[in-house]
Amino acid sequence: MRSLKIEDLSILLVEPSSTQLKVIIKHLKEEGIANIEGADSGDSALTILSDYKPDLIISSMYLPDMTAAEMIFKIKANDELSDVPFMLISSETRISALDPIRQAGVVAILPKPFDHDNLRRALRSTIEFIEPEELALDNYAIEALRVLVVDDSSMARKHIVRVLNNMGITQITTANDGKAAAELFQETGEAFDLIVTDYNMPEMDGRELVSHIRNDRQNTFIPILMVTSESNETRLDQVQQAGVSAICDKPFEPQNVKEILFRVLNG
């Protein structure tokens, strides 16, 4: 039973527009959240963070002095702040602009204007991230589950590993691309119970890795979860055809992942 509730969250809200700031604060207060600190730039947010560690950072994409991507990279580089959940609220739709945010490991990306139900879901995802509940499986002892995480982004790997750790999964090996993962898979004698892989990677991408495991290695039974920001339907169809067990969007939402893992591991 969780002790932390949505209304207990302390939030740093980074928004240069005073009008947008008031709108977002209104929505947060409707959820019962009263502990909200405001900042109008990246530097002012970083100054606040040097003395105050919130439960959640919410930011718009474009700040007067930096982008949200640049700010989150600075935050993730600080060991004291790297585990603070981050949420983006932006009207930006370009994949090239949003992908660095997704890769950094955020709890949610909401559009402007955002749907209140989506905000509530994102806040619940934050609670799940801060105060997780262990995944319960019928066919596996969670502490014995062996997982290979494959992603070329070190921040994305760390985020995925943390989410899995929060579920009680601790036996995790990482690889920074598909080629390294394929080599690990062979060297260990295929001693993994689950593979969690990104799609877009150098050397060997996620689809090629899935195809290698299913066809070249003739391993049809190991569950493979694809975690990706890819939106091209043709490419996703190719991944499905290659033999992936499930596809999960980035941001890597803990509750969604937990439901997928329960389904693929208990199947």
Side-chain angles (χ1 to χ4, degrees), residues 13-16 38-48 63-66 71:
L13 176 56
V14 192
E15 173 56 70
D40 59 6
S41 69
D43 280 336
S44 61
L46 293 170
T47 298
I48 291 170
L63 308 172
D65 50 354
M66 64 184 74
M71 183 172 67

mmCIF file of all heavy atoms in Angstrom, residues 13-16 38-48 63-66 71:
data_model
loop_
_atom_site.group_PDB
_atom_site.id
_atom_site.type_symbol
_atom_site.label_atom_id
_atom_site.label_comp_id
_atom_site.label_asym_id
_atom_site.label_seq_id
_atom_site.Cartn_x
_atom_site.Cartn_y
_atom_site.Cartn_z
ATOM 1 N N LEU A 13 7.960 23.747 -11.283
ATOM 2 C CA LEU A 13 7.334 24.010 -12.574
ATOM 3 C C LEU A 13 8.143 25.068 -13.311
ATOM 4 O O LEU A 13 8.262 26.206 -12.848
ATOM 5 C CB LEU A 13 5.891 24.484 -12.364
ATOM 6 C CG LEU A 13 5.086 24.902 -13.590
ATOM 7 C CD1 LEU A 13 5.029 23.786 -14.618
ATOM 8 C CD2 LEU A 13 3.680 25.326 -13.170
ATOM 9 N N VAL A 14 8.712 24.698 -14.467
ATOM 10 C CA VAL A 14 9.574 25.592 -15.233
ATOM 11 C C VAL A 14 8.808 26.049 -16.477
ATOM 12 O O VAL A 14 8.616 25.268 -17.412
ATOM 13 C CB VAL A 14 10.895 24.901 -15.632
ATOM 14 C CG1 VAL A 14 11.886 25.936 -16.175
ATOM 15 C CG2 VAL A 14 11.501 24.137 -14.458
ATOM 16 N N GLU A 15 8.371 27.305 -16.465
ATOM 17 C CA GLU A 15 7.510 27.820 -17.533
ATOM 18 C C GLU A 15 7.728 29.332 -17.661
ATOM 19 O O GLU A 15 7.427 30.087 -16.732
ATOM 20 C CB GLU A 15 6.047 27.503 -17.216
ATOM 21 C CG GLU A 15 5.031 28.121 -18.150
ATOM 22 C CD GLU A 15 5.248 27.772 -19.603
ATOM 23 O OE1 GLU A 15 5.031 26.608 -19.976
ATOM 24 O OE2 GLU A 15 5.653 28.684 -20.363
ATOM 25 N N PRO A 16 8.260 29.801 -18.796
ATOM 26 C CA PRO A 16 8.529 31.240 -18.956
ATOM 27 C C PRO A 16 7.281 32.095 -19.150
ATOM 28 O O PRO A 16 7.315 33.297 -18.879
ATOM 29 C CB PRO A 16 9.414 31.288 -20.202
ATOM 30 C CG PRO A 16 9.099 30.042 -20.961
ATOM 31 C CD PRO A 16 8.758 29.017 -19.932
ATOM 32 N N GLY A 38 7.833 27.776 -8.748
ATOM 33 C CA GLY A 38 7.902 28.186 -10.140
ATOM 34 C C GLY A 38 9.265 28.727 -10.529
ATOM 35 O O GLY A 38 9.979 29.310 -9.706
ATOM 36 N N ALA A 39 9.638 28.518 -11.795
ATOM 37 C CA ALA A 39 10.872 29.077 -12.359
ATOM 38 C C ALA A 39 10.572 29.476 -13.794
ATOM 39 O O ALA A 39 9.817 28.792 -14.489
ATOM 40 C CB ALA A 39 12.008 28.061 -12.306
ATOM 41 N N ASP A 40 11.186 30.579 -14.256
ATOM 42 C CA ASP A 40 10.891 31.067 -15.606
ATOM 43 C C ASP A 40 12.026 30.838 -16.602
ATOM 44 O O ASP A 40 11.957 31.288 -17.744
ATOM 45 C CB ASP A 40 10.516 32.550 -15.571
ATOM 46 C CG ASP A 40 11.625 33.435 -14.991
ATOM 47 O OD1 ASP A 40 12.724 32.910 -14.716
ATOM 48 O OD2 ASP A 40 11.390 34.641 -14.813
ATOM 49 N N SER A 41 13.080 30.133 -16.170
ATOM 50 C CA SER A 41 14.199 29.835 -17.071
ATOM 51 C C SER A 41 14.927 28.592 -16.591
ATOM 52 O O SER A 41 14.728 28.136 -15.445
ATOM 53 C CB SER A 41 15.177 31.012 -17.122
ATOM 54 O OG SER A 41 15.862 31.145 -15.882
ATOM 55 N N GLY A 42 15.800 28.062 -17.454
ATOM 56 C CA GLY A 42 16.573 26.894 -17.078
ATOM 57 C C GLY A 42 17.540 27.191 -15.951
ATOM 58 O O GLY A 42 17.665 26.411 -14.994
ATOM 59 N N ASP A 43 18.229 28.320 -16.040
ATOM 60 C CA ASP A 43 19.201 28.680 -15.007
ATOM 61 C C ASP A 43 18.537 28.900 -13.655
ATOM 62 O O ASP A 43 19.067 28.481 -12.617
ATOM 63 C CB ASP A 43 19.977 29.941 -15.416
ATOM 64 C CG ASP A 43 21.108 29.641 -16.395
ATOM 65 O OD1 ASP A 43 21.580 28.483 -16.411
ATOM 66 O OD2 ASP A 43 21.492 30.543 -17.145
ATOM 67 N N SER A 44 17.377 29.557 -13.658
ATOM 68 C CA SER A 44 16.687 29.775 -12.386
ATOM 69 C C SER A 44 16.212 28.444 -11.798
ATOM 70 O O SER A 44 16.248 28.243 -10.579
ATOM 71 C CB SER A 44 15.517 30.739 -12.548
ATOM 72 O OG SER A 44 14.555 30.242 -13.459
ATOM 73 N N ALA A 45 15.804 27.521 -12.662
ATOM 74 C CA ALA A 45 15.397 26.195 -12.198
ATOM 75 C C ALA A 45 16.584 25.455 -11.582
ATOM 76 O O ALA A 45 16.461 24.844 -10.512
ATOM 77 C CB ALA A 45 14.812 25.386 -13.348
ATOM 78 N N LEU A 46 17.735 25.521 -12.239
ATOM 79 C CA LEU A 46 18.928 24.845 -11.734
ATOM 80 C C LEU A 46 19.392 25.453 -10.414
ATOM 81 O O LEU A 46 19.884 24.743 -9.531
ATOM 82 C CB LEU A 46 20.044 24.893 -12.774
ATOM 83 C CG LEU A 46 19.776 24.089 -14.059
ATOM 84 C CD1 LEU A 46 20.824 24.410 -15.128
ATOM 85 C CD2 LEU A 46 19.748 22.595 -13.776
ATOM 86 N N THR A 47 19.227 26.764 -10.271
ATOM 87 C CA THR A 47 19.567 27.429 -9.008
ATOM 88 C C THR A 47 18.662 26.930 -7.885
ATOM 89 O O THR A 47 19.128 26.624 -6.775
ATOM 90 C CB THR A 47 19.437 28.952 -9.149
ATOM 91 O OG1 THR A 47 20.353 29.413 -10.138
ATOM 92 C CG2 THR A 47 19.746 29.641 -7.827
ATOM 93 N N ILE A 48 17.371 26.837 -8.170
ATOM 94 C CA ILE A 48 16.419 26.317 -7.174
ATOM 95 C C ILE A 48 16.780 24.880 -6.811
ATOM 96 O O ILE A 48 16.773 24.488 -5.635
ATOM 97 C CB ILE A 48 14.979 26.407 -7.712
ATOM 98 C CG1 ILE A 48 14.542 27.872 -7.816
ATOM 99 C CG2 ILE A 48 14.002 25.625 -6.823
ATOM 100 C CD1 ILE A 48 13.228 28.079 -8.555
ATOM 101 N N LEU A 63 12.820 27.411 -23.238
ATOM 102 C CA LEU A 63 13.047 28.363 -22.163
ATOM 103 C C LEU A 63 13.908 29.503 -22.705
ATOM 104 O O LEU A 63 14.541 29.349 -23.755
ATOM 105 C CB LEU A 63 13.726 27.660 -20.990
ATOM 106 C CG LEU A 63 13.028 26.375 -20.516
ATOM 107 C CD1 LEU A 63 13.878 25.658 -19.479
ATOM 108 C CD2 LEU A 63 11.643 26.682 -19.970
ATOM 109 N N PRO A 64 13.971 30.636 -22.039
ATOM 110 C CA PRO A 64 14.733 31.768 -22.578
ATOM 111 C C PRO A 64 16.210 31.486 -22.777
ATOM 112 O O PRO A 64 16.846 32.056 -23.665
ATOM 113 C CB PRO A 64 14.533 32.860 -21.512
ATOM 114 C CG PRO A 64 13.316 32.460 -20.765
ATOM 115 C CD PRO A 64 13.275 30.982 -20.793
ATOM 116 N N ASP A 65 16.781 30.603 -21.955
ATOM 117 C CA ASP A 65 18.227 30.376 -21.976
ATOM 118 C C ASP A 65 18.657 28.990 -22.424
ATOM 119 O O ASP A 65 19.841 28.740 -22.651
ATOM 120 C CB ASP A 65 18.819 30.658 -20.591
ATOM 121 C CG ASP A 65 18.048 29.947 -19.479
ATOM 122 O OD1 ASP A 65 17.000 29.333 -19.776
ATOM 123 O OD2 ASP A 65 18.490 30.025 -18.324
ATOM 124 N N MET A 66 17.722 28.067 -22.553
ATOM 125 C CA MET A 66 18.051 26.705 -22.980
ATOM 126 C C MET A 66 16.771 25.962 -23.315
ATOM 127 O O MET A 66 15.666 26.440 -23.037
ATOM 128 C CB MET A 66 18.837 25.963 -21.886
ATOM 129 C CG MET A 66 18.080 25.732 -20.596
ATOM 130 S SD MET A 66 19.086 24.944 -19.292
ATOM 131 C CE MET A 66 20.142 26.295 -18.779
ATOM 132 N N MET A 71 18.331 21.245 -20.379
ATOM 133 C CA MET A 71 18.179 21.291 -18.924
ATOM 134 C C MET A 71 18.171 19.897 -18.319
ATOM 135 O O MET A 71 18.820 19.644 -17.295
ATOM 136 C CB MET A 71 16.899 22.040 -18.546
ATOM 137 C CG MET A 71 16.720 22.177 -17.037
ATOM 138 S SD MET A 71 15.334 23.253 -16.567
ATOM 139 C CE MET A 71 13.941 22.283 -17.136
#
